[in-house]
């Protein structure tokens, strides 16, 4: 049976790519959750910044780990396809398909694939990271940090909370007539 150890140097690179994708997606979702929690904390005047930071970190961590294991973790087949794109002319995929075959032709094909795999450098395997998701994660980070700052300032009574902004007559100071 052909295993990941056969592709070890290439497998590490794909695992790094998968981890980075999961981290970026986790940051995107985590900062959006952070923004929403900070917005709720500011509007309803509760929790402050630690509530929003805790919600964002928990949601981001859960999302990142879940996405890695459910979507991004590389399989041996995916690894074979990616390595074949480096000029191996479907040698790796064929080797995987014929891994149970013990015929002379299959053995020769496996040896040929192994010989050609040694010539392929792992640096040629380019990382493919999602640009749009990365940009959205950066925007979500700015929004989340900004709203967390607003919620923290409102919790310290430096600025008005959302409840005071939305209902200004409740928070109006009494005016004294001076004669």
């Amino acid at each position: 049976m052909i295993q990941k150890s056969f592709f070890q140097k290439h497998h590490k690179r794909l695992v790094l790519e998968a981890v980075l994708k999961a981290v970026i997606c986790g940051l995107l979702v985590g900062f959006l959750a952070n923004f929403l929690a900070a917005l709720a904390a500011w509007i309803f005047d509760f929790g402050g910044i630690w509530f929003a930071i805790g919600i964002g970190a928990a949601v981001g961590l859960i999302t990142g780990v879940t996405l890695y294991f459910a979507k991004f973790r590389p399989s041996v087949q995916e690894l074979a396809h990616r390595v074949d794109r480096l000029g191996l002319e479907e040698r790796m995929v064929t080797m995987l398909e014929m891994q149970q075959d013990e015929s002379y032709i299959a053995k020769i094909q496996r040896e040929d694939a192994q010989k050609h795999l040694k010539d392929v450098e792992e640096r040629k395997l380019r990382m493919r990271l999602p640009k749009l998701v990365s940009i959205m994660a950066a925007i979500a980070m700015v929004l989340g940090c900004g709203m967390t700052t607003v919620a923290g300032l409102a919790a310290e009574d430096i600025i008005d909370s959302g409840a005071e902004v939305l209902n200004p007559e409740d928070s109006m100071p009494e005016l004294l007539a001076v004669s």
Side-chain angles (χ1 to χ4, degrees), residues 2-18 21 68 71-97 113 117 120-128:
I2 310 267
Q3 298 192 6
K4 291 179 207 167
S5 60
F6 183 72
F7 299 103
Q8 191 62 41
K9 62 182 180 178
H10 302 291
H11 184 260
K12 288 178 183 177
R13 194 146 174 103
L14 280 186
V15 167
L16 177 62
E17 177 185 308
K21 284 180 183 179
Y68 174 78
K71 182 168 175 50
F72 297 130
R73 185 172 55 174
S75 66
V76 176
Q77 290 78 16
E78 179 186 355
L79 181 56
H81 283 288
R82 292 279 299 271
V83 171
D84 273 341
R85 288 186 203 142
L86 298 176
L88 293 183
E89 301 169 357
E90 300 292 320
R91 285 182 173 96
M92 297 297 114
V93 174
T94 305
M95 182 179 67
L96 285 176
E97 290 171 355
L117 181 64
V120 175
E121 296 180 26
E122 66 269 11
R123 287 181 285 137
K124 289 183 179 179
L125 194 62
R126 299 178 64 93
M127 286 198 190
R128 297 184 299 180

Side-chain angles (χ1 to χ4, degrees), residues 2-76:
I2 310 267
Q3 298 192 6
K4 291 179 207 167
S5 60
F6 183 72
F7 299 103
Q8 191 62 41
K9 62 182 180 178
H10 302 291
H11 184 260
K12 288 178 183 177
R13 194 146 174 103
L14 280 186
V15 167
L16 177 62
E17 177 185 308
V19 167
L20 289 174
K21 284 180 183 179
V23 166
I24 290 169
C25 291
L27 287 173
L28 170 63
V29 175
F31 276 115
L32 287 176
N34 171 258
F35 173 79
L36 294 174
L39 181 64
W42 177 71
I43 289 174
F44 300 113
D45 199 18
F46 74 94
I49 94 173
W50 294 113
F51 170 74
I53 291 172
I55 294 291
V59 169
L61 182 66
I62 291 169
T63 301
V65 170
T66 302
L67 282 175
Y68 174 78
F69 286 107
K71 182 168 175 50
F72 297 130
R73 185 172 55 174
S75 66
V76 176

Side-chain angles (χ1 to χ4, degrees), residues 119-170:
D119 295 337
V120 175
E121 296 180 26
E122 66 269 11
R123 287 181 285 137
K124 289 183 179 179
L125 194 62
R126 299 178 64 93
M127 286 198 190
R128 297 184 299 180
L129 298 175
K131 291 178 187 166
L132 180 62
V133 175
S134 300
I135 292 168
M136 290 170 47
I139 292 169
M141 182 177 75
V142 170
L143 292 174
C145 291
M147 197 68 228
T148 301
T149 302
V150 169
L153 291 173
E156 295 295 321
D157 288 328
I158 296 173
I159 63 172
D160 290 340
S161 70
E164 294 168 340
V165 170
L166 296 174
N167 298 320
E169 63 276 349
D170 293 342

